[in-house]
């Protein structure tokens, strides 16, 4: 949990399972994440060896993020957690009668 903890880490990994992404692509794919938080989470994932960061010496500079082999070892886990999340949302939606949800 120390490595994967954090609101956005699993979502970032799930995006990178599909392939390499630039920072802006990840930010658009994760509505609600701030630039600062995405930067922090990517740095932590890189430090833990799950994500690689490649900087291309171009103008403007291009930076791409991809899963490492260690990161790809989590593919099945992120897929199962994604499936569980969808199932859970269905359970909660079906269990709470409409109109009785707390304002929020």
């Amino acid at each position: 949990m120390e490595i994967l903890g954090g609101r956005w880490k699993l979502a970032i990994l799930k995006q990178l399972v599909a392939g390499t992404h630039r920072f802006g692509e990840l930010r658009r794919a994760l509505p609600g994440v701030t630039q600062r938080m995405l930067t922090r989470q990517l740095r932590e994932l890189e430090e833990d060896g799950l994500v690689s960061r490649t900087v291309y010496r171009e103008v403007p500079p291009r930076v791409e993020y991809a899963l490492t082999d260690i990161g790809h070892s989590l593919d099945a886990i992120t897929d199962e957690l994604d499936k569980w999340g969808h199932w859970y949302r269905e359970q909660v939606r079906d269990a709470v009668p409409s109109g009785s949800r707390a304002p929020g």
Side-chain angles (χ1 to χ4, degrees):
M1 289 309 298
E2 186 174 323
I3 293 170
L4 296 178
R7 179 174 180 185
W8 297 101
K9 285 185 179 178
L10 285 172
I12 292 167
L13 293 173
K14 183 69 177 159
Q15 290 299 314
L16 293 176
V17 164
T20 301
H21 289 290
R22 294 174 72 172
F23 185 88
E25 293 171 327
L26 288 170
R27 181 122 189 252
R28 284 188 296 278
L30 302 168
V33 70
T34 64
Q35 182 171 338
R36 180 175 179 230
M37 181 57 69
L38 181 56
T39 299
R40 182 188 318 171
Q41 300 281 274
L42 284 166
R43 282 185 185 151
E44 290 176 10
L45 289 167
E46 185 180 7
E47 288 170 10
D48 291 329
L50 302 178
V51 170
S52 66
R53 178 178 182 263
T54 305
V55 180
Y56 295 92
R57 307 239 178 252
E58 301 173 348
V59 177
R62 179 172 46 121
V63 179
E64 293 182 341
Y65 296 90
L67 290 181
T68 63
D69 289 341
I70 295 171
H72 274 296
S73 72
L74 295 167
D75 288 358
I77 293 168
T78 57
D79 187 48
E80 287 300 316
L81 285 170
D82 188 50
K83 288 177 188 175
W84 182 86
H86 289 288
W87 173 84
Y88 178 78
R89 270 187 265 146
E90 291 291 319
Q91 299 304 306
V92 170
R93 190 189 73 214
D94 292 344
V96 178
S98 72
S100 66
R101 293 178 193 243

